[in-house]
Amino acid sequence: MDILEEIIAHKQQELASYQRQTSEKAIHQAVEPLLGKPQPSLKASLLHSNTGIIAEFKRKSPSKGWINQHANVNEIVTGYEKNGAAAISILTDDTYFGGNDNYIAEAQKAGAKLPILYKNFIIDEYQLFQARYCGASAVLLIAAVLNKQQCKSLIHTAHEIGLEVLLEMHNESETEYADLEPDVCGINNRCLDTFITNVDTSINLIHRLPQEACKISESGISNAETAHILQVIGYNGFLIGENFMKQAQPGLALKRFIEDMSSSSIL
């Protein structure tokens, strides 16, 4: 069993546990009062940003273990907001990434105003309601773990409850999902079988995405030169987490990254 299969098998068990604790009807009722409250748009924020950086709060990963075990979500999200992020991504998977739904609520209580991406392994619409309940603006859907009909249905439900969708693709066959018209198309440079990253994945697959789509590149983007190349060929933004989170002050690491982009005449 590869890492992705292991995570999804665990996610199915986790989901069943959540549903025993809080019924589907109960979580729908909890979300209903929130439906009239619009969330900031991830897509609009990316399209109106010079950098397009989605800065991620990520405490650990299955491949590298703890990246920043004692990270404080309030401090880091505040630092990201002050230093030029277009949006925030927060890992909410506990077992493999050290995340929690409460981190999104905590970030908002601390004054976070930027769009927040709920980053998890979503396999059921129940999780969309979890994301909306904790205050997310958008959710990640991963083509590798969903068939096209499942993905279409989840996009529809997400939109019905006021969530945007970042649809993540990893290879040429998965780019066929782009015709489902997610709010943002993401190409992940990380192979989900091995967790090895290769930015050439984004370079090779951009021609497979609709020209008019909002497009981001994810994983393995560690310097301004790489970001420049990806901007030039048509990406509107980047999801960057580990590169910032492994630093003592992730917000300042973001600031330095943006300064490097500026000095490279990218902006």
Side-chain angles (χ1 to χ4, degrees):
M1 183 180 292
D2 63 32
I3 297 173
L4 182 60
E5 289 175 335
E6 178 185 332
I7 290 172
I8 296 305
H10 183 271
K11 193 60 56 180
Q12 290 167 337
Q13 296 174 357
E14 183 182 83
L15 176 61
S17 176
Y18 284 140
Q19 290 171 325
R20 285 193 296 270
Q21 295 171 37
T22 305
S23 70
E24 188 169 340
K25 180 179 180 181
I27 199 166
H28 285 200
Q29 289 175 336
V31 165
E32 189 172 353
L34 305 176
L35 299 184
K37 301 176 182 178
Q39 298 289 80
S41 167
L42 174 65
K43 179 179 180 179
S45 187
L46 289 170
L47 292 177
H48 291 96
S49 168
N50 288 330
T51 65
I53 294 176
I54 305 173
E56 187 161 83
F57 181 80
K58 177 180 180 180
R59 297 174 66 227
K60 72 174 181 178
S61 78
S63 58
K64 297 189 177 180
W66 288 106
I67 299 166
N68 193 332
Q69 184 173 0
H70 304 292
N72 181 292
V73 67
N74 296 345
E75 292 177 3
I76 291 174
V77 169
T78 299
Y80 283 157
E81 289 218 350
K82 287 181 178 178
N83 289 291
I88 306 295
S89 170
I90 296 182
L91 265 299
T92 58
D93 173 83
D94 180 14
T95 303
Y96 296 92
F97 292 89
N100 195 297
D101 283 13
N102 289 334
Y103 289 155
I104 294 179
E106 288 174 22
Q108 292 188 322
K109 286 178 183 177
K113 302 299 183 187
L114 290 175
I116 297 180
L117 173 69
Y118 182 96
K119 193 172 182 188
N120 207 316
F121 295 80
I122 291 178
I123 55 174
D124 189 276
E125 75 166 26
Y126 185 95
Q127 295 162 285
L128 301 178
F129 284 84
Q130 288 180 306
R132 188 67 172 91
Y133 182 71
C134 70
S137 300
V139 292
L140 176 76
L141 296 182
I142 304 172
V145 303
L146 302 165
N147 64 44
K148 202 169 181 181
Q149 184 55 45
Q150 288 173 321
C151 192
K152 180 179 180 180
S153 177
L154 288 171
I155 291 173
H156 176 74
T157 301
H159 287 165
E160 281 195 323
I161 61 174
L163 292 167
E164 292 186 342
V165 172
L166 165 57
L167 176 58
E168 179 177 287
M169 297 158 275
H170 303 81
N171 56 45
E172 188 167 327
S173 63
E174 289 176 8
T175 58
E176 295 179 4
Y177 285 52
D179 65 14
L180 297 175
E181 298 183 352
D183 303 279
V184 181
C185 291
I187 297 296
N188 193 339
N189 302 308
R190 190 182 305 279
C191 173
L192 290 185
D193 294 332
T194 64
F195 270 51
I196 294 171
T197 59
N198 185 346
V199 176
D200 286 346
T201 303
S202 284
I203 296 171
N204 294 335
L205 292 180
I206 191 165
H207 72 282
R208 299 277 303 175
L209 300 177
Q211 187 173 357
E212 69 280 5
C214 179
K215 300 178 278 289
I216 69 162
S217 176
E218 310 169 46
S219 303
I221 302 163
S222 58
N223 57 70
E225 289 75 18
T226 299
H228 182 203
I229 292 168
L230 295 170
Q231 280 190 322
V232 167
I233 65 174
Y235 283 95
N236 303 102
F238 320 97
L239 194 151
I240 305 174
E242 187 175 317
N243 188 50
F244 300 147
M245 289 295 296
K246 66 185 180 182
Q247 305 299 323
Q249 294 180 288
L252 293 182
L254 167 63
K255 181 180 179 181
R256 289 191 294 269
F257 193 94
I258 291 174
E259 287 171 348
D260 287 344
M261 291 177 72
S262 181
S263 64
S264 299
S265 299
I266 299 171
L267 302 185

